[in-house]
Amino acid sequence: MSVLILAEHDGKHLKQSTRQAVTAATAWQLPIHIVVTGNAIDAIAQEAASISNVARVIKVDGAQFAHPLAEDVANVITAIGKEYKVILAAHTAFSKSVLPRAAAVLDVAMISDVISITAPATYVRPIYAGNVFATVESADALQVLTVRATSFDVAANGGSAEITSLDAPVANTQSRWVSEEKNVSDRPELASAHVVISGGRSLGERFNELLDPVALKLNAALGATRACVDAGFAPNDIQVGQTGTIVAPELYIAVGISGAMQHIAGIKDSKVIVAINHDPDAPIFRYADYGLVADLFDALPQLNAALN
Amino acid sequence: MKVLVAVKHVLDYNIAPRIKQDGSDVDIAGVKMGINPFDEIAVEEAVRLKERGVATEIVAVSIGGESSKDTLRHALAMGADRAVLIQTDVVMQPLGVAKLLKAVVDKEAPSLIILGKQAIDDDAGQTGQMLAALLGVGQGTFASAVTIKDAEVEVAREVDGGSETVVLKLPAVITADLRLNEPRFIKLPNLMMAKKKPIDTLAATDLAADFSPRLKLAKVAEPPVRKAGVIVGNVAELVEKLRSEKVIA
Ligand SMILES: Cc1cc2nc3c(=O)[nH]c(=O)nc-3n(C[C@H](O)[C@H](O)[C@H](O)COP(=O)(O)OP(=O)(O)OC[C@H]3O[C@@H](n4cnc5c(N)ncnc54)[C@H](O)[C@@H]3O)c2cc1C
Ligand SMILES: Nc1ncnc2c1ncn2[C@@H]1O[C@H](COP(=O)(O)O)[C@@H](O)[C@H]1O
């Protein structure tokens, strides 16, 4: 029996979170297989094969995977899933759409957003916006789970797995892809950046004007609160928190953010948290390693200047 | 077109959960409960479809104990036409919920089924996808816009790094994300009127053979607390601290 990992990529490279899933998978001490779905993915399959501890890469190449739909990817997983002891993936929008669908077809429960694997079928996962850690045990013969990428190390290269091919199942007829709008940014990816600087709604229309220069100097990814995104000051894919992206950078800088528990849920594992807020009683200060009580409209330009 | 909306009765999102003394579970006795925020967005979307003349009937469904009727009444007050309580005292997990919802969908035959993208108590985010799988229909997860076009529905989805648009044949399952809409405020008269709308109660055991929990909750615990930090006097001091921590150059 082996562990199967559902890989994620952007058409060119594997996502870093797939390497973190590999580290999580080593908990079972079983052979690790990675299934890569996509269109013209030889290079990506090679990349997966070079990750240490990976025994086999299963390449599923098909035109329908140029823009993968959960229905089609789930069909791949259910076709081969019964041969495995564990099916896992990083807890991303892609896998969150695919794995529950596959689990239901395979008639097994799924464990979402696992932060620690304490025994082969015992998991710790945050519930209630990270306010509680639950330890759950699964008695299913097949374990299906997603793991929180930031809780596991990035698996390095050093492997040379065999690459096999699997015919793509026929494309589904219930759904079709129409278009996508990817926010192009030259900043590092939010989920894996070493530094993240986030703003709240109080930055208003000056969100980018004030944060961009500092982010550039720190090579930081930009983040935002829900209130800031809802108000239209920042794009929705940079929302950080319980229902946005979970981050765990070396340095997290929260600017004009009150520190609601839904936001804290997404930043708690950061190494160093800095808060800049003009209200000394703002809850964010309870989580910050360094707090600065100041008006952000003064502090951000000063910070930018100090980083020269 | 009939729309079915699944609504879960959960701990109010403003309240920090309390853990039982023996660490066996979260203690929700006597704590303020309400509709799962994402499900409120799901109901709002259904009501807007009805206001636009696209939907003709909205059925709200909840699985749980008697108290889930409060959340069903909330959905009725927002504009759902009728409600179904699938009664059980069993602790529900997504696969079991999906099986019971499938049984209701088989009976009601809605064209569109809307759920929340995640329940804010278990934070699982699985039920909609599982239901779509069991029904063998398409799924539009993390929806930020929903447009019915003849026998299909176009769904804008929030994905990592941007958004994506897919088209699904009806019937289909959609899970609501935060930006789909802003739920209306319920006025008192609507709440009074909702009391007159019907809530049917069905026994879970009559609908599905196996909806029991598959996962055992071994224990719950408080997450480790971050130790309190220091307040710095100015930006220069902050930068100095960060340099000495080696988190900035
Ligand atoms: C189901 C659900 C899910 C949610 N998910 C998320 C999520 O994933 N992520 C998330 O972030 N939120 C989420 N929220 C929202 C969350 O509860 C808060 O409403 C939100 O985080 C608040 O954003 P904010 O800090 O920008 O705004 P506010 O709470 O309004 O805080 C603004 C802060 O800015 C400070 N400030 C104002 N002016 C200045 C100034 N000139 N200088 C310095 N400081 C200033 C104020 O003192 C205040 O502390 C969710 C809510 C719900 C119900
Ligand atoms: N007990 C329940 N009753 C009704 N709907 C539910 C129930 N549990 C989950 N759901 C629906 O499934 C969605 C996702 O829940 P979950 O998969 O538990 O995160 C919720 O937003 C609800 O729409």
Side-chain angles (χ1 to χ4, degrees), chain A residues 15 17 70 133 221 250 298:
Chain A
K15 291 278 176 74
S17 60
F133 281 0
E250 295 287 299
D298 300 329

Side-chain angles (χ1 to χ4, degrees), chain B residues 160-173:
Chain B
D160 297 331
S163 66
E164 174 185 88
T165 303
V166 295
V167 167
L168 313 169
K169 272 190 197 152
L170 297 177
V173 173

Side-chain angles (χ1 to χ4, degrees), chain A residues 200-201 225-226 239-240 243 256 258 262-263 277-278 295-296:
Chain A
R201 71 169 128 208
T225 63
R226 175 190 174 184
Q239 178 179 312
V240 171
T243 55
S258 59
Q262 292 87 3
H263 187 80
N277 195 306
H278 68 181
D295 189 314
L296 68 92

Side-chain angles (χ1 to χ4, degrees), chain A residues 91-102:
Chain A
H91 193 62
T92 61
F94 171 70
S95 306
K96 283 194 268 188
S97 296
V98 173
L99 284 199
R101 189 171 176 106

Side-chain angles (χ1 to χ4, degrees), chain A residues 228-266:
Chain A
C228 182
V229 172
D230 282 358
F233 303 135
N236 59 40
D237 64 300
I238 68 168
Q239 178 179 312
V240 171
Q242 177 192 19
T243 55
T245 300
I246 309 276
V247 299
E250 295 287 299
L251 174 61
Y252 186 84
I253 306 177
V255 184
I257 292 176
S258 59
M261 74 186 182
Q262 292 87 3
H263 187 80
I264 299 298

Side-chain angles (χ1 to χ4, degrees), chain B residues 12-87:
Chain B
D12 185 278
Y13 72 91
N14 274 314
I15 294 175
R18 203 172 56 223
I19 288 172
K20 284 184 185 167
Q21 205 97 73
D22 62 1
S24 62
D25 205 345
V26 168
D27 190 0
I28 53 168
V31 186
K32 188 178 170 209
M33 306 275 287
I35 187 170
N36 181 39
F38 290 98
D39 303 352
E40 191 176 30
I41 296 171
V43 175
E44 176 67 34
E45 196 62 18
V47 174
R48 289 188 191 187
L49 286 171
K50 193 173 174 198
E51 286 169 349
R52 268 185 258 138
V54 179
T56 47
E57 188 187 20
I58 302 167
V59 185
V61 184
S62 192
I63 301 165
E66 186 71 19
S67 61
S68 296
K69 282 188 176 171
D70 294 346
T71 277
L72 288 170
R73 271 191 212 97
H74 187 105
L76 292 170
M78 286 179 72
D81 297 292
R82 58 192 178 84
V84 178
L85 171 66
I86 304 176
Q87 202 158 26

